[in-house]
Amino acid sequence: MDRSSKKGSKLACCFPVILDRSMKSSFKLSKSSSSDKLNKSKSSICSPTSLSMKKRDQENNHLVVCFGELLIDFVPTVSEVSLAEAPGFKKAPGGAPANVAVGIARLGGSSAFIGKVGADEFGYMLSDILKQNHVDNSGMRFDTHARTALAFVTLRADGEREFMFFRNPSADMLLTEAELDKDLIQKARIFHYGSISLIAEPCRSAHLAAMEIAKKAGCILSYDPNLRLPLWPSADAARKGILSIWDQADVIKVSEDEITFLTDGEDAYDDNVVMTKLFHPNLKLLLVTEGGEGCRYYTKNFHGRVNGIKVTAVDTTGAGDAFVGGLLNSMASDPDIYQDEKKLRNALLFANGCGAITVTEKGAIPALPTKEAVLKILNGATAN
């Protein structure tokens, strides 16, 4: 849970923002970019076919492949009730890696999803939703013997999130290494994943194999543990499982609660704890999200924090995924962004804007913003 919920703030999520002059100049809406003008000037000498091929090649160079779970979330039709008290539920597409893939596509980036669903109505619906949101779903597989995973989730009146999962086993747990779309992984610039796919076989082995393929192909490995304790056999199993692949990632995003969990209760706000306990020699960028407060960043050469954007929160579901999508979309275009603190801070401010917009609407995927919406809220913050 983020710091704002610990303080008992359930509806008002405060994202104070401080923009220096360099950040203000980085978020100006324009009708056309220099690259747009260049493409227009070349249109007279390039055939439509060559232009479309060039565009496709450019998109592939920026491809982010997201691996893991895709499921149906059932959310109460009324707010601030327990699952038992809910009078009814509304279905919504869910699964952190899939949310990230849609978030990137919504921003105008190139993304794909690899995972497994049931050969059932929910599975086909989820596949169609990815396609409708311009996510490459060619890496999806359908299981005829297991159902699509279901999750019931609510934010209770006391501010605590409550989950109930139906996966005994669900189709996403049964993805095998043989079913991986290796060519798709090898095309990626960034390979993004969580930890839920590490819980059970055969998906764990498929996950490890996919990481190996991505690493050999030169992909940036992006890891968001997305801790869901009820899914693991025990807290110890969750801690060991999450940390088992920790030192292979290039980029890691964690929440404050996850730091406390992974470090056996140490202070999540202590920079020394983060650097000594969680930063590993091969890591390029470690991010700590603080809910409405913004985020912290750590690299080998510098660290700092970027404040968030002031909004009124309606539903925090998917805010972290929107943040990750915003950052990875920037990183896909500029893989070395972590080496330039000014560029990184601008990218993180943009990612914070993605998260801020997402909490203003119900549901994850429906609330994920476009690039224009993020630039608008950032320009609004600058004006204030």
Side-chain angles (χ1 to χ4, degrees):
M1 186 185 306
D2 62 44
R3 196 185 300 175
S4 61
S5 59
K6 289 177 184 174
K7 292 179 180 178
S9 174
K10 299 182 286 296
L11 293 179
C13 190
C14 194
F15 289 72
V17 63
I18 300 174
L19 298 176
D20 60 32
R21 185 168 297 176
S22 64
M23 284 186 174
K24 292 178 182 179
S25 64
S26 298
F27 297 103
K28 299 297 182 184
L29 284 169
S30 60
K31 293 182 179 179
S32 64
S33 65
S34 59
S35 61
D36 292 333
K37 294 175 182 176
L38 182 61
N39 287 337
K40 287 178 182 177
S41 67
K42 288 183 176 180
S43 61
S44 61
I45 58 173
C46 295
S47 68
T49 302
S50 64
L51 281 174
S52 62
M53 289 176 65
K54 184 176 181 180
K55 182 179 180 181
R56 185 173 68 247
D57 290 342
Q58 289 174 338
E59 288 176 349
N60 286 340
N61 287 340
H62 297 166
L63 178 65
V64 180
V65 172
C66 301
F67 175 94
E69 68 279 4
L70 176 57
L71 59 138
I72 300 290
D73 283 333
F74 284 88
V75 184
T77 52
V78 298
S79 302
E80 299 184 357
V81 297
S82 69
L83 292 176
E85 296 168 335
F89 295 89
K90 180 180 179 180
K91 69 178 185 294
N99 290 342
V100 171
V102 174
I104 291 167
R106 193 73 57 83
L107 293 169
S110 177
S111 65
F113 175 78
I114 292 178
K116 200 172 192 182
V117 294
D120 51 43
E121 289 302 309
F122 284 150
Y124 298 133
M125 181 192 83
L126 291 170
S127 177
D128 287 343
I129 286 173
L130 292 186
K131 186 175 181 180
Q132 290 164 12
N133 281 279
H134 308 293
V135 175
D136 183 341
N137 64 357
S138 61
M140 285 187 66
R141 302 293 179 259
F142 298 83
D143 197 295
T144 57
H145 302 292
R147 297 295 189 187
T148 301
L150 307 179
F152 289 78
V153 57
T154 188
L155 182 67
R156 301 187 317 221
D158 61 6
E160 292 290 335
R161 293 181 77 185
E162 184 180 352
F163 295 91
M164 185 183 296
F165 297 94
F166 288 78
R167 318 168 71 235
N168 293 306
S170 53
D172 60 292
M173 301 166 68
L174 302 178
L175 182 71
T176 66
E177 181 178 349
E179 293 174 307
L180 292 175
D181 188 333
K182 297 178 181 179
D183 290 339
L184 184 59
I185 297 172
Q186 290 169 339
K187 291 176 184 176
R189 173 164 281 182
I190 300 173
F191 182 70
H192 175 73
Y193 48 88
S195 68
I196 291 175
S197 44
L198 296 171
I199 295 174
E201 293 290 356
C203 190
R204 175 180 168 80
S205 292
H207 182 145
L208 297 177
M211 285 177 58
E212 182 67 20
I213 294 167
K215 196 73 172 179
K216 288 181 178 178
C219 301
I220 295 170
L221 298 191
S222 167
Y223 186 22
D224 178 1
N226 193 35
L227 176 64
R228 293 290 179 263
L229 269 179
L231 294 178
W232 291 86
S234 67
D236 283 343
R239 191 175 293 106
K240 290 177 182 176
I242 289 171
L243 293 175
S244 68
I245 59 170
W246 194 265
D247 62 356
Q248 298 182 53
D250 299 299
V251 178
I252 297 176
K253 173 260 175 188
V254 288
S255 67
E256 298 161 296
D257 281 351
E258 286 166 346
I259 292 176
T260 302
F261 175 77
L262 294 172
T263 60
D264 288 318
E266 296 206 36
D267 186 358
Y269 306 104
D270 187 333
D271 290 339
N272 188 56
V273 168
V274 174
M275 290 301 292
T276 58
K277 299 284 186 176
L278 298 178
F279 202 94
H280 64 76
N282 298 321
L283 194 58
K284 294 180 173 66
L285 177 62
L286 176 63
L287 299 164
V288 180
T289 51
E290 301 179 345
E293 302 294 328
C295 67
R296 282 176 278 155
Y297 58 90
Y298 301 84
T299 72
K300 293 178 182 178
N301 300 318
F302 51 78
H303 69 272
R305 71 183 314 279
V306 177
N307 291 334
I309 315 299
K310 188 176 182 180
V311 296
T312 299
V314 174
D315 180 7
T316 59
T317 304
D321 302 329
F323 172 90
V324 173
L327 174 67
L328 295 186
N329 187 55
S330 297
M331 203 166 220
S333 300
D334 187 359
D336 295 324
I337 199 169
Y338 65 93
Q339 296 179 352
D340 185 319
E341 189 168 12
K342 181 181 176 182
K343 285 184 178 181
L344 178 61
R345 288 181 62 84
N346 285 334
L348 292 176
L349 181 61
F350 183 88
N352 282 345
C354 293
I357 290 176
T358 302
V359 305
T360 62
E361 297 182 31
K362 285 192 174 183
I365 287 180
L368 292 169
T370 62
K371 182 177 181 179
E372 290 72 22
V374 179
L375 294 177
K376 183 177 180 180
I377 196 174
L378 292 176
N379 283 330
T382 303
N384 293 331

